[in-house]
Amino acid sequence: MKKKFVLFFLLICSVFILNGCSEDDNNSTPPAEPETAPIDTVKSEADKTYTVMVLGCGGGNLDFEFAIDVPLLAKAISEKVNVVCQYNASAQLDTTETEGARPLGTAATTYRFKVTSDIDLTHYEDFRYKNASEVSLYKDSTVTDFINYAVDTCPADEYIIVLYNHGGGFNINDGAYMDYLLKAGMPPMMRNVLFDDNAGFASLSEKILSKAIANSKAPHMKAVYFYACNEGMVECYSELYRECDYIIGSAHVMAAAGHILPTLVKHLGNKNTASFEKKVEDFMEEIRRWWPDLHKAIETDPTAYNDDLSCVRASQMEPLNDLLKRIAARLCSDGFYTTHKEAIDSIHAHSVYRYYYWLPSYDVAHYIHLLAESTKDEQLVQMAQELDDLLPLLFVSRISVKEIADMPASITEYSLGINLFNKTGWESANTAAKEYYTTSVFAQQTGWYRWFEKIEGELSGWTAFK
């Protein structure tokens, strides 16, 4: 009986306890409404800050151009734009004063610094970073480390990397380069941009640049700027479009004895210009006015160069490659080449524009138009029209210093290079080079190299200069 009473008592207590908890819950002050999450303030493009990262190696004339540009960059920076540099002085640095400038520093030395309005170049050695042999520009780790340094030193809303050096595009004909890489135990790569003359034949390729950016503290850039020749090629841009919004480069030649990069920096800092694209357009419009005269002052052969510069929207690279994939499929379809062999061979021998006589790169728009017009193939004609519709979406702005005699309008208005090799040249190319090309983003997306296996005629065409 006593035991039952205890159990009954505990049961009653538990009911009261439960009711008490329930009442406490009901009478408790309702939890405060969560504070409204602050609305992210999205900066307008006019209010955004930029950090421009200049990475380069002299290589002859660029030692002088860099010496000219640094003080100009110091004048061009603003509260909206920072500039950070890492520069390898050439192994054979010539310190003779030329064009009013004396190359900075000592041979085979790497310098790293932030450009300030009061930068003292008389004490340039204060910016010494390492011996150039310790900072191999062809390694992704070197590029990533510099980007991280720039982000830590000058955090900004947007980042732009400038490859301040000579470029070579996607050229599989450079057998000596491939042999050097193999003997040095280095991975095969195209001799593209940032020719590191402190490391023999070695140079930075777009593949490695893409990896370096992706692994950095700024994995997506506002823009990649090739201050170099021959980088304005669909193969080069295809390796990088996923790591940036815009790509600026030259399909042909980039030479100006300085001045151009500081002009871009000045326009980036213009508070009255709302969008990045408008800043680029204004920058190109300004250099359009004085670049030809500067060009005349520095060139040794007035018929030699056609300096050009353009900016493309990275978002349009995939649509372009989708179209080129369909074009390649049509060109490689059964019987197409044999049916139109005479017309196609004539194009390759007489009508195709080459940026250099030794570099097998051609203008995409002009080449596709020639194929469509000469074969009168309905599918190609339709795709050539699609290309015409796409190009204005691809290009933000384009400038050419001068007209080349008999240059087609399609090249004057747009210029983006693409490689061509005939069957003999393709089959005789270095195996490692061919593998590098066929595994490129562009080749994988388009299968363009399959066209090389069809072409039998000579690829001579006409050139910009010889």
Side-chain angles (χ1 to χ4, degrees):
M1 183 71 182
K2 184 177 181 181
K3 189 179 293 184
K4 289 183 178 179
F5 177 79
V6 172
L7 291 173
F8 178 75
F9 178 80
L10 292 174
L11 177 61
I12 294 297
C13 289
S14 65
V15 169
F16 276 105
I17 291 171
L18 288 172
N19 284 339
C21 289
S22 177
E23 289 174 0
D24 286 343
D25 288 342
N26 289 335
N27 295 331
S28 62
T29 304
E33 291 290 328
E35 293 184 10
T36 304
I39 299 175
D40 290 334
T41 302
V42 179
K43 287 187 178 181
S44 69
E45 288 198 66
D47 292 330
K48 287 184 177 179
T49 56
Y50 295 88
T51 290
V52 178
M53 314 169 186
V54 182
L55 181 65
C57 181
N61 65 301
L62 289 180
D63 282 318
F64 292 98
E65 291 202 19
F66 186 71
I68 292 170
D69 270 347
V70 173
L72 294 176
L73 289 169
K75 294 179 180 179
I77 59 174
S78 63
E79 61 180 6
K80 294 293 183 183
V81 188
N82 305 301
V83 176
V84 180
C85 301
Q86 181 167 305
Y87 199 74
N88 285 16
S90 296
Q92 305 298 325
L93 184 69
D94 181 359
T95 58
T96 305
E97 184 170 317
T98 301
E99 297 159 6
R102 183 186 300 276
L104 301 169
T106 55
T109 303
T110 300
Y111 299 88
R112 177 186 276 189
F113 56 95
K114 175 184 177 181
V115 176
T116 60
S117 58
D118 60 350
I119 191 169
D120 184 1
L121 296 180
T122 62
H123 292 86
Y124 189 68
E125 287 299 317
D126 291 346
F127 305 131
R128 177 188 287 267
Y129 177 50
K130 293 181 179 180
N131 293 330
S133 60
E134 301 176 77
V135 191
S136 301
L137 291 178
Y138 60 87
K139 292 183 178 179
D140 63 287
S141 57
T142 296
V143 182
T144 299
D145 180 68
F146 170 62
I147 294 172
N148 291 346
Y149 160 78
V151 171
D152 292 339
T153 304
C154 298
D157 299 310
E158 306 282 9
Y159 297 95
I160 298 170
I161 187 166
V162 179
L163 289 311
Y164 199 101
N165 198 220
H166 297 290
F170 260 59
N171 180 13
I172 67 170
N173 285 339
D174 197 344
Y177 179 49
M178 287 295 177
D179 290 341
Y180 165 82
L181 296 176
L182 294 173
K183 290 178 181 178
M186 296 166 57
M189 64 182 73
M190 297 297 175
R191 188 167 171 78
N192 300 133
V193 70
L194 285 186
F195 290 179
D196 191 348
D197 69 345
N198 292 288
F201 279 93
S203 63
L204 179 70
S205 73
E206 283 80 6
K207 281 179 178 286
I208 295 177
L209 176 59
S210 172
K211 178 182 177 182
I213 294 173
N215 290 336
S216 75
K217 293 182 179 180
H220 192 86
M221 300 276 179
K222 188 65 175 179
V224 174
Y225 187 145
F226 289 109
Y227 191 86
C229 308
N230 304 121
E231 293 304 299
M233 297 179 66
V234 66
E235 290 96 338
C236 299
Y237 288 5
S238 294
E239 296 292 336
L240 291 160
Y241 73 85
R242 293 163 296 187
E243 279 75 51
C244 60
D245 294 330
Y246 299 90
I247 307 176
I248 303 173
S250 300
H252 186 244
V253 176
M254 178 74 185
H259 302 278
I260 289 184
L261 183 57
T263 304
L264 173 62
V265 169
K266 180 185 73 174
H267 281 280
L268 288 175
N270 187 348
K271 297 179 183 179
N272 298 320
T273 307
S275 71
F276 178 81
E277 290 192 6
K278 185 64 167 62
K279 293 175 189 291
V280 170
E281 289 172 0
D282 290 348
F283 149 65
M284 289 199 180
E285 182 56 37
E286 178 173 339
I287 66 172
R288 188 193 306 275
R289 294 194 295 268
W290 52 256
W291 198 5
D293 289 337
L294 181 62
H295 181 277
K296 290 177 183 177
I298 65 172
E299 67 183 6
T300 56
D301 179 358
T303 65
Y305 297 106
N306 177 45
D307 292 7
D308 71 301
L309 190 65
S310 63
C311 177
V312 303
R313 300 178 180 94
S315 62
Q316 296 302 314
M317 287 304 301
E318 283 191 6
L320 174 65
N321 285 350
D322 287 342
L323 176 56
L324 292 174
K325 178 180 180 179
R326 289 190 285 123
I327 291 173
R330 182 56 182 160
L331 296 176
C332 296
S333 61
D334 290 342
F336 183 88
Y337 179 69
T338 53
T339 300
H340 304 287
K341 187 175 186 305
E342 184 176 349
I344 294 173
D345 287 352
S346 178
I347 289 173
H348 292 154
H350 305 295
S351 307
V352 177
Y353 170 63
R354 298 166 64 95
Y355 304 120
Y356 281 107
Y357 67 93
W358 48 265
L359 186 67
S361 56
Y362 300 77
D363 182 76
V364 175
H366 184 48
Y367 183 57
I368 301 306
H369 273 283
L370 288 174
L371 290 174
E373 293 164 6
S374 65
T375 63
K376 296 181 173 55
D377 179 79
E378 291 184 4
Q379 291 187 44
L380 275 186
V381 170
Q382 175 60 38
M383 287 186 282
Q385 181 57 55
E386 289 182 47
L387 182 59
D388 284 348
D389 295 338
L390 175 61
L391 288 175
L393 302 177
L394 177 69
F395 284 88
V396 173
S397 186
R398 158 120 178 88
I399 180 175
S400 182
V401 166
K402 63 181 182 181
E403 298 288 333
I404 294 178
D406 304 319
M407 179 186 283
S410 61
I411 296 175
T412 304
E413 186 174 358
Y414 303 108
S415 197
L416 188 63
I418 193 168
N419 265 299
L420 280 179
F421 299 95
N422 61 17
K423 189 174 182 179
T424 300
W426 177 248
E427 291 178 347
S428 62
N430 184 291
T431 301
K434 286 169 58 177
E435 181 180 355
Y436 187 93
Y437 189 94
T438 55
T439 57
S440 68
V441 171
F442 173 72
Q444 290 293 302
Q445 289 184 349
T446 66
W448 183 253
Y449 62 93
R450 295 185 298 120
W451 180 226
F452 306 160
E453 299 167 351
K454 299 279 187 179
I455 301 171
E456 296 176 359
E458 181 183 1
L459 294 171
S460 55
W462 55 278
T463 65
F465 70 92
K466 292 185 179 181

